[in-house]
Amino acid sequence: MGGVTTTENNPAQERLRTARTVWLCAAGAEGPPLVRATWFVFLEGVWWIGAAAGGALVRLLERRPRATLALDGPEPLVAEGDARLHRTGFPARVRESFLAKYGWDPAIPARPGERRVLLEIAVRDWVPASLTD
């Protein structure tokens, strides 16, 4: 999408920095896509999302790492990318960004015995706004 650049005063960059949730969509070879609203941080062209290791979305992305992400609103931002799962060694900068934005560390389990993963989804392409109408 032509409007998404690294310019600090770009309205799209501001939304990526301040929006609280993104819609994450993944699809398997069969069946409908799975869509979830989730917390995220966006750093240098990469979406970072913390998730439970055994969740359905994570299992789909393990089998087929293609993902679509969308910020809704009057001017939707939609990106496509390929997911990479981190099971250990979550980058400190990403954890610090989640703590600053949400007061939450994606590496810390929500429940006893839960394993966490960090999804790294680099933007492959931005879907033009005219296609999201």
Side-chain angles (χ1 to χ4, degrees):
M1 180 163 103
V4 179
T5 67
T6 57
T7 306
E8 287 299 314
N9 62 0
N10 182 306
Q13 285 296 327
E14 181 63 18
R15 286 188 60 208
L16 289 164
R17 194 172 24 262
T18 61
R20 302 284 293 170
T21 57
V22 65
W23 290 98
L24 172 60
C25 177
E30 298 176 21
L34 183 60
V35 180
R36 295 281 188 268
T38 186
W39 286 352
F40 74 98
V41 294
F42 186 82
L43 302 170
E44 299 174 2
V46 176
W47 302 82
W48 295 91
I49 296 169
L57 199 58
V58 170
R59 289 192 310 269
L60 280 175
L61 290 169
E62 283 177 317
R63 288 193 296 266
R64 186 171 184 251
R66 295 185 62 154
T68 301
L69 303 108
L71 291 180
D72 55 11
E75 295 185 25
L77 290 175
V78 179
E80 296 174 343
D82 297 304
R84 180 175 166 220
L85 277 65
H86 297 263
R87 296 189 182 282
T88 60
F90 296 7
R93 180 166 179 237
V94 173
R95 291 176 70 180
E96 291 163 4
S97 295
F98 271 102
L99 281 168
K101 188 172 184 178
Y102 302 102
W104 175 73
D105 183 341
I108 297 175
R111 291 175 286 289
E114 178 185 67
R115 292 176 300 123
R116 304 292 300 168
V117 296
L118 190 62
L119 303 174
E120 174 186 0
I121 306 172
V123 173
R124 182 175 6 91
D125 198 16
W126 291 99
V127 177
S130 62
L131 297 180
T132 63
D133 294 337

